[in-house]
Amino acid sequence: MCCFYSFLCIVLSLSATNVPTFSIKGKLVEAGSRMVIDYADVMLFNGNSDQPVAHTFPDSEGNFSLSGIQPGKYNMLVKLIGFDIYTQADITIDNRQQIFDLGIIEMKPLEMGLAEVEVVAQKKQIIYKLDKKIIDAGANLMAGGGRAVDIQEN
C-alpha cells in the first residue's frame, strides 16, 4: 500500500512538471524611422483582467519574449512615454505552436509639436525698496510728452 502511494506521488509530480508552457515574442521599432525601441513596458493580460499575467522589457535590439504562458486568450499592451499605447487583443495560445511570434511591432510617436512659442512679460512701473521708490518712466503710458514731475504726480 505504501509503494502504491509513493508510485502515485511520483507519477503526479512527473505529470505536473511536464505541463507545456508557451512563449510570445516580438520586436519593437519606431514607426517611420524603424529605429529599435529598447525600453518599453510589454504586458500580457488574461481576458478582461487588470493585473498582468506576464511583464517584460525589450533587449538592446528591441526583441522581447514573454515565457511561461499557459494556453488561453490574452491581450497585450505596450506602453512607452512619448509613444501611442499599442494594444493587441485576442492572442490565442493553443497546443499547436510553442512560440507565438508577433513579428515587428511599430510604435507610433505622439504627435506633439509646437510651431512657435511667444513669451510676453511686462516690467513693473513702480518698484518699492526700503529707502526709495523707483518709477520706470518708459513703462508709464501717461508719461508720453510729460515731465518728471507729471509722472510722479500720476
Side-chain angles (χ1 to χ4, degrees):
M1 188 68 148
C2 182
C3 286
F4 176 73
Y5 286 122
S6 298
F7 178 73
L8 184 61
C9 289
I10 291 172
V11 169
L12 289 176
S13 67
L14 287 176
S15 66
T17 58
N18 288 334
V19 173
T21 59
F22 302 92
S23 64
I24 298 173
K25 71 176 191 170
K27 182 173 184 171
L28 296 176
V29 297
E30 184 177 338
S33 69
R34 308 282 289 183
M35 290 182 61
V36 170
I37 295 177
D38 58 354
Y39 193 82
D41 285 310
V42 180
M43 294 175 279
L44 191 68
F45 296 91
N46 189 358
N48 293 329
S49 174
D50 59 348
Q51 294 296 321
V53 175
H55 177 263
T56 190
F57 299 103
D59 62 14
S60 61
E61 295 175 4
N63 298 313
F64 67 89
S65 178
L66 297 161
S67 58
I69 309 298
Q70 299 299 322
K73 287 193 176 235
Y74 297 94
N75 299 322
M76 190 179 74
L77 180 122
V78 181
K79 65 181 182 176
L80 176 64
I81 294 175
F83 289 86
D84 283 336
I85 294 175
Y86 176 85
T87 58
Q88 182 160 348
D90 298 329
I91 298 173
T92 304
I93 304 296
D94 54 23
N95 293 327
R96 286 183 273 157
Q97 61 189 77
Q98 289 287 111
I99 300 172
F100 190 85
D101 190 0
L102 294 171
I104 296 174
I105 297 172
E106 294 186 358
M107 299 285 292
K108 296 178 185 169
L110 289 175
E111 297 294 329
M112 300 173 45
L114 296 175
E116 183 177 319
V117 175
E118 182 179 341
V119 178
V120 179
Q122 282 186 333
K123 190 175 178 183
K124 291 184 178 180
Q125 292 181 2
I126 301 173
I127 301 171
Y128 294 98
K129 297 216 174 177
L130 288 177
D131 59 339
K132 59 186 167 185
K133 177 166 109 175
I134 301 170
I135 299 172
D136 184 10
N140 191 339
L141 296 175
M142 302 297 287
R147 300 173 300 173
V149 176
D150 296 334
I151 294 172
Q152 286 182 340
E153 286 176 1
N154 289 331

